Amino acid sequence: MARKKQAFSPKTFLSTVGPGRALVFFEKGQRVFAQGDTAEALFVIQKGMVRLRVRFQAGKEATLDILREGDFIGEDSIAGQSSCTASATAMTDCSLLRIEKKVIVLALTSQAKLANTVLAYVLASNIRYQQHLVDQRCNPSEKRLARILSLLAHFDRHGSTVADIPRINQETLAEMVGTTRSRVSFFMKKFRQSGFVDYEPGATMIRVHRTILAFYVSG
């Protein structure tokens, strides 16, 4: 008796190895790809966090997003782009599923469920990226730091009231926000006094409260 063919599962396809799909590992601080590199694969984060950023012609950089398990990076490869429009760097030790461009394109054309899953993700990402670029150009550094902390906590993806995030040194936060370390230190103390964040000296985690979003969107 012939075995029944298993139904295609987007979740399985995006989380397991197979033809044209390989698990790759990156250490904290290692670059996954750089802006301008050939867009030759889609990556799905299996574990860890990745920072996505873009550099403008004037040399200024903006953090577009901070991504974690289940998120995609390298969507340029399926959007008709020949090169990467942003850079991706591991913020922690990461494992990513690398799917070759020809493999993901073929799967998208033959599997409607996968195409719908990826399309919904890409549309939501584009909206976030537009908001982030406006934020970088229009908001003061204090609100940009609040946005970075909200991204790390992924409050835009779930309704939790608090989230624990890995503690990032203030030099890195300053680079991400586009300000100085002393300003970040001042703002973090202010956020702590306001009840937006909780942390102890030497702690490896920071607890971020959802109330920081109210500060970010306030006038």
Side-chain angles (χ1 to χ4, degrees), residues 23 38 50-51 63 85 97 131 151 158 167 174 190 197 205-206 209 212:
L23 199 61
T38 302
V50 175
R51 175 187 174 191
T63 295
T85 56
L97 184 70
Q131 294 171 338
L151 285 175
H158 58 73
R167 187 163 185 172
K190 184 177 178 181
V197 300
M205 304 293 288
I206 298 176
H209 295 261
I212 200 169

Side-chain angles (χ1 to χ4, degrees), residues 11-84:
K11 183 177 180 181
T12 299
F13 180 83
L14 296 170
S15 61
T16 59
V17 298
R21 310 196 314 273
L23 199 61
V24 292
F25 301 91
F26 295 87
E27 296 181 351
K28 179 180 179 180
Q30 188 175 357
R31 181 172 290 175
V32 180
F33 55 77
Q35 186 172 338
D37 285 354
T38 302
E40 57 187 10
L42 177 73
F43 296 85
V44 186
I45 303 175
Q46 306 300 310
K47 184 178 180 180
M49 292 196 304
V50 175
R51 175 187 174 191
L52 196 66
R53 57 184 172 181
V54 63
R55 179 183 292 274
F56 303 106
Q57 288 184 344
K60 187 175 182 181
E61 285 192 346
T63 295
L64 289 180
D65 215 339
I66 296 169
L67 306 170
R68 57 178 63 183
E69 291 89 340
D71 286 330
F72 303 156
I73 54 176
E75 298 99 317
D76 297 311
S77 64
I78 59 174
Q81 299 290 328
S82 60
S83 60
C84 300

Side-chain angles (χ1 to χ4, degrees), residues 27-195:
E27 296 181 351
K28 179 180 179 180
Q30 188 175 357
R31 181 172 290 175
V32 180
F33 55 77
Q35 186 172 338
D37 285 354
T38 302
E40 57 187 10
L42 177 73
F43 296 85
V44 186
I45 303 175
Q46 306 300 310
K47 184 178 180 180
M49 292 196 304
V50 175
R51 175 187 174 191
L52 196 66
R53 57 184 172 181
V54 63
R55 179 183 292 274
F56 303 106
Q57 288 184 344
K60 187 175 182 181
E61 285 192 346
T63 295
L64 289 180
D65 215 339
I66 296 169
L67 306 170
R68 57 178 63 183
E69 291 89 340
D71 286 330
F72 303 156
I73 54 176
E75 298 99 317
D76 297 311
S77 64
I78 59 174
Q81 299 290 328
S82 60
S83 60
C84 300
T85 56
S87 298
T89 305
M91 295 187 68
T92 63
D93 291 345
C94 295
S95 60
L96 312 177
L97 184 70
R98 183 185 186 276
I99 309 176
E100 294 178 6
K101 181 176 181 177
K102 61 182 180 181
V103 172
I104 185 63
V105 170
L106 178 61
L108 290 172
T109 57
S110 61
Q111 302 293 340
K113 289 183 179 180
L114 177 65
N116 290 336
T117 297
V118 174
L119 177 60
Y121 181 89
V122 170
L123 289 175
S125 295
N126 285 340
I127 293 173
R128 289 201 312 275
Y129 298 162
Q130 291 174 18
Q131 294 171 338
H132 301 342
L133 291 174
V134 170
D135 172 86
Q136 188 73 21
R137 291 179 175 273
C138 301
N139 280 335
S141 54
E142 185 175 11
K143 289 201 171 186
R144 296 202 301 272
L145 176 59
R147 179 182 67 83
I148 292 294
L149 293 173
S150 298
L151 285 175
L152 287 165
H154 271 215
F155 286 141
D156 59 335
R157 317 286 181 88
H158 58 73
S160 301
T161 57
V162 296
D164 292 329
I165 63 174
R167 187 163 185 172
I168 301 173
N169 67 61
Q170 293 184 348
E171 289 85 354
T172 301
L173 280 175
E175 179 189 348
M176 295 168 70
V177 173
T179 187
T180 64
R181 181 188 179 284
S182 61
R183 295 291 287 169
V184 166
S185 178
F186 173 79
F187 294 146
M188 288 298 288
K189 290 178 181 177
K190 184 177 178 181
F191 289 168
R192 189 180 183 186
Q193 292 170 355
S194 300

